[in-house]
Amino acid sequence: MPNVMIRKNDAGDLLFYVAKKDMEETISSVELDDSEQWGGAVELTDGSRWYIDPISPPPTFPTTLRFKRGDD
Amino acid sequence: MSALTREEAQALIQEVLEVYPEKAKKDRAKHLAVNDQSVEQSKKCIISNRKSLPGVMTVRGCAYAGSKGVVWGPIKDMVHISHGPVGCGAYSRAGRRNYYVGHTGVNTFGTMNFTSDFQEKDIVFGGDKKLDKLISEIETLFPLSKGISVQSECPIGLIGDDIEAVSKKKSKELNKPVVPVRCEGFRGVSQSLGHHIANDAIRDWVIGNRDGDESFQTGPYDVAVIGDYNIGGDAWSSRILLEEMGLRVVAQWSGDGTLSEMELTSKVKLNLIHCYRSMNYISRHMEEKYGIPWMEYNFFGPTKIAESLRKIAAFFDETIQANAEQVIAKYQAEYDAVIAKYRPRLEGKKVMLYVGGLRPRHVIGAYEDLGMEVVGTGYEFAHNDDYDRTIKEMGNATLLYDDITGYEFEEFVKKVKPDLIGSGIKEKYIFQKMGIPFRQMHSWDYSGPYHGYDGFAIFARDMDMTINNPCWKKLQAPWLQSSEQDATPQAASA
């Protein structure tokens, strides 16, 4: 369950940054992303999947959240 | 275009790898690549930030070097204790030429070496008492120091000293920040983790010190210069450009920087980061905690400077944007003259770089402004994100090398035959003896500054001075020279 910092890049995409793993990827899709809640299954451009319980109301980015690996 | 075609470059890499045993060959192959601008993500072509192979000659440093030498060391009004045996502090003292203003030994301590000089008994019985005593002694001798940082060397982690407890106790006693930094040299694969640890220490012990204190008068144009270590005065020649634009530089990290500047950084409107590798961590933290946006900029060479100044100005209102144009116009005559003078002497020369941090990609623009071409570049301790940024800057079919070994570098140079190599002191004399002009690009070969428009003039002069130095024609004994090689050297144009 890594701590992930989510921030927006200049183009407006969400970036998924894990400092300990030295990994920064663009988020390609988020399961739930509306005015009520944000979260669920998250897929990155490299194909890996992560999961976070939906947060309500949606967080303001940048912020650090704890994700679970979504492979299992 | 590059001297090598893609196939030739691939073949060269294969040829160089040939000498290694099977396992080492497999590992090193991942670190060498031929640049392909169409690749979006560097991890598809090059692997970085991995442990160096035992037995090869690497030029990497350690976590202590990254923390004490790079990030903390230049903060001038703090005393940085090299906690452990005497050597680490002694060999890292003042070698990086982080210039600063102040009275050394009175209110600034940049070029001084403070060490706890561990002996056998400290290793056996622990060094906490010694550290306690040492900090009291520093306070007596240098009462104007604004704070103290404890930079751990390897033994501290190995024997398990509790430097945090000592620091907390002394901090309370002296009423100044005493920052324990767990940057033992064995941590991580290179100095890069030392930068990270140092950033985290700043985050935990410095950044939040002025939270809730509104006495500092903020302005709409406050910026901080992050990741400029003022090597040879770099930060100063960058700072004047920002100030001429109408921005107020609140803090310099960390060249010629002070502790209070760092504490005030959380109040600025924009963080400008030059060395992304060593200080992106703290910029990310400030973005999250204080909502301060950050952007990377590049102050090497007029093309990149103009690009960066416009990009910085775009964060602010029209006055600043108009000022940025004025600044560029103001210096135009100056840098045009520099290019007119040196470009004819440097046109078409090939350069190979192997440095750390930001330079392998940032200086490419400056060389291109002088009509030179960078045919190979590599980092000592970069991560994937650095190579992501480098691929776009480099030409197709140029060489990329990560944590290159001494052997590989020499072989590449023998085949590519560059006209100039920019690397560190450990490579300098090897290549000079091979008869290749060399600039030590870590601390600008005792010259500088190279940032900003003023720095570009010095950069151009230094490159010309090195490449067109008559000594390179004198490497062969006169009686061995054939008559054609006696051709008169190119006359100086100025």
Side-chain angles (χ1 to χ4, degrees):
Chain A
M1 290 220 302
N3 271 324
V4 180
M5 188 188 271
I6 310 279
R7 59 183 288 267
K8 282 200 167 78
N9 69 4
D10 296 340
D13 301 324
L14 287 175
L15 292 174
F16 188 94
Y17 174 70
V18 189
K20 281 223 166 123
K21 290 252 181 258
D22 181 34
M23 164 186 141
E24 189 168 31
E25 282 295 338
T26 316
I27 295 179
S28 58
S29 74
V30 182
E31 191 185 8
L32 298 163
D33 186 9
D34 49 46
S35 54
E36 294 284 302
Q37 52 188 354
W38 189 93
V42 168
E43 192 165 341
L44 309 185
T45 43
D46 68 349
S48 64
R49 287 202 306 279
W50 300 79
Y51 179 80
I52 186 166
D53 290 328
I55 306 166
S56 177
T60 46
F61 301 113
T63 186
T64 300
L65 302 167
R66 275 179 89 82
F67 277 77
K68 279 185 208 150
R69 279 175 206 285
D71 306 333
D72 36 62
Chain B
M1 257 329 277
S2 156
L4 298 174
T5 64
R6 174 165 302 278
E7 291 69 37
E8 280 171 343
Q10 291 286 12
L12 173 58
I13 290 177
Q14 285 313 315
E15 188 191 322
V16 168
L17 287 171
E18 234 13 77
V19 293
Y20 289 124
E22 207 47 50
K23 211 174 148 193
K25 192 199 280 181
K26 203 175 141 209
D27 181 276
R28 286 304 306 161
K30 296 176 195 157
H31 295 262
L32 307 171
V34 182
N35 192 37
D36 180 354
Q37 283 171 327
S38 63
V39 175
E40 284 289 314
Q41 286 183 313
S42 61
K43 64 182 173 195
K44 288 182 184 138
C45 68
I46 196 162
I47 298 283
S48 52
N49 200 29
R50 291 286 181 275
K51 193 173 170 296
S52 305
L53 280 177
V56 301
M57 193 94 104
T58 172
V59 297
R60 280 176 161 177
C62 67
Y64 165 85
S67 175
K68 194 264 181 183
V70 175
V71 177
W72 281 98
I75 303 169
K76 60 180 176 178
D77 61 356
M78 288 179 81
V79 168
H80 308 288
I81 303 170
S82 298
H83 189 39
V86 70
C88 306
Y91 288 111
S92 64
R93 187 194 73 91
R96 215 159 173 259
R97 302 190 314 120
N98 309 102
Y99 285 0
Y100 58 89
V101 254
H103 297 282
T104 304
V106 181
N107 58 5
T108 49
F109 311 94
T111 49
M112 295 173 78
N113 174 19
F114 297 85
T115 176
S116 46
D117 185 21
F118 260 40
Q119 303 297 320
E120 208 172 328
K121 73 169 178 18
D122 302 312
I123 303 284
V124 177
F125 298 108
D128 284 344
K129 279 198 186 113
K130 195 170 194 175
L131 180 63
D132 185 304
K133 199 172 152 211
L134 179 76
I135 293 174
S136 304
E137 236 171 74
I138 287 170
E139 181 61 14
T140 318
L141 289 170
F142 306 102
L144 295 182
S145 72
K146 293 291 187 323
I148 291 164
S149 79
V150 182
Q151 310 283 333
S152 329
E153 295 167 11
C154 297
I156 309 306
L158 295 171
I159 63 177
D161 270 11
D162 193 355
I163 58 167
E164 283 84 1
V166 181
S167 299
K168 269 188 195 141
K169 178 180 158 226
K170 296 310 278 185
S171 180
K172 210 167 275 172
E173 202 178 301
L174 306 178
N175 202 19
K176 339 183 139 160
V178 180
V179 184
V181 189
R182 282 283 180 189
C183 57
E184 286 89 352
F186 55 76
R187 289 180 197 269
V189 298
S190 64
Q191 55 266 62
S192 189
L193 190 72
H195 305 143
H196 198 153
I197 293 168
N199 275 238
D200 287 355
I202 294 174
R203 178 194 70 196
D204 296 343
W205 299 83
V206 177
I207 282 287
N209 288 2
R210 296 279 297 258
D211 285 0
D213 171 2
E214 300 303 327
S215 60
F216 178 70
Q217 301 243 319
T218 56
Y221 302 131
D222 289 354
V223 296
V225 172
I226 306 235
D228 194 325
Y229 301 105
N230 206 25
I231 292 163
D234 276 343
W236 296 328
S237 61
S238 307
R239 184 185 177 123
I240 54 166
L241 296 179
L242 299 170
E243 283 175 348
E244 277 176 46
M245 264 168 76
L247 302 173
R248 182 167 74 146
V249 180
V250 172
Q252 277 177 219
W253 290 52
S254 54
D256 196 30
T258 62
L259 182 64
S260 74
E261 280 177 32
M262 304 191 93
E263 289 170 348
L264 288 173
T265 309
S266 59
K267 321 251 178 227
V268 301
K269 297 287 179 291
L270 176 65
N271 278 328
L272 301 172
I273 94 169
H274 205 243
C275 181
Y276 169 84
R277 181 69 275 133
S278 60
M279 284 209 174
N280 75 80
Y281 316 103
I282 199 73
S283 311
R284 286 174 198 272
H285 170 72
M286 283 192 269
E287 185 184 34
E288 183 181 357
K289 191 167 173 200
Y290 302 100
I292 305 166
W294 53 275
M295 62 161 282
E296 292 166 58
Y297 70 106
N298 178 355
F299 269 2
F300 287 101
T303 315
K304 291 287 174 190
I305 298 173
E307 214 171 85
S308 298
L309 288 177
R310 291 193 179 112
K311 209 167 126 198
I312 295 167
F315 272 89
F316 296 95
D317 57 22
E318 275 141 27
T319 3
I320 300 290
Q321 285 162 21
N323 285 347
E325 294 304 325
Q326 274 173 23
V327 172
I328 297 166
K330 181 187 160 192
Y331 286 97
Q332 180 151 19
E334 198 180 293
Y335 66 73
D336 279 349
V338 171
I339 294 175
K341 182 173 173 186
Y342 293 107
R343 189 161 177 145
R345 298 165 62 80
L346 297 170
E347 187 86 53
K349 301 283 187 195
K350 290 182 292 178
V351 189
M352 275 177 90
L353 297 169
Y354 177 57
V355 217
L358 63 127
R359 291 164 190 144
R361 65 172 178 275
H362 269 41
V363 297
I364 295 172
Y367 281 115
E368 282 171 354
D369 285 334
L370 291 170
M372 298 163 81
E373 191 199 358
V374 181
V375 294
T377 196
Y379 298 81
E380 285 173 27
F381 53 83
H383 300 199
N384 277 329
D385 40 4
D386 293 293
Y387 285 102
D388 286 344
R389 290 161 170 77
T390 313
I391 289 172
K392 296 188 203 89
E393 302 277 338
M394 289 291 286
N396 267 320
T398 50
L399 289 166
L400 288 179
Y401 28 82
D402 179 68
D403 185 26
I404 196 173
T405 66
Y407 164 75
E408 290 163 12
F409 201 11
E410 280 171 44
E411 291 303 306
F412 283 157
V413 166
K414 280 180 200 160
K415 287 283 150 49
V416 178
K417 296 199 178 60
D419 300 291
L420 177 73
I421 298 170
S423 190
I425 195 72
K426 298 188 230 46
E427 296 82 40
K428 180 172 180 172
Y429 300 102
I430 297 162
F431 291 120
Q432 285 191 339
K433 284 172 185 175
M434 283 164 70
I436 297 160
F438 187 98
R439 287 299 297 183
Q440 196 260 91
M441 291 299 276
H442 287 274
S443 63
W444 310 143
D445 234 336
Y446 321 104
S447 175
Y450 283 179
H451 292 181
Y453 290 116
D454 295 335
F456 178 65
I458 299 167
F459 174 82
R461 182 205 64 189
D462 285 354
M463 295 309 137
D464 174 50
M465 185 164 90
T466 307
I467 293 181
N468 294 320
N469 194 311
C471 75
W472 306 117
K473 299 194 174 67
K474 306 281 180 204
L475 287 173
Q476 209 173 17
W479 57 90
L480 295 173
Q481 270 174 354
S482 61
S483 56
E484 59 190 306
Q485 278 171 311
D486 285 333
T488 42
Q490 196 187 353
S493 63

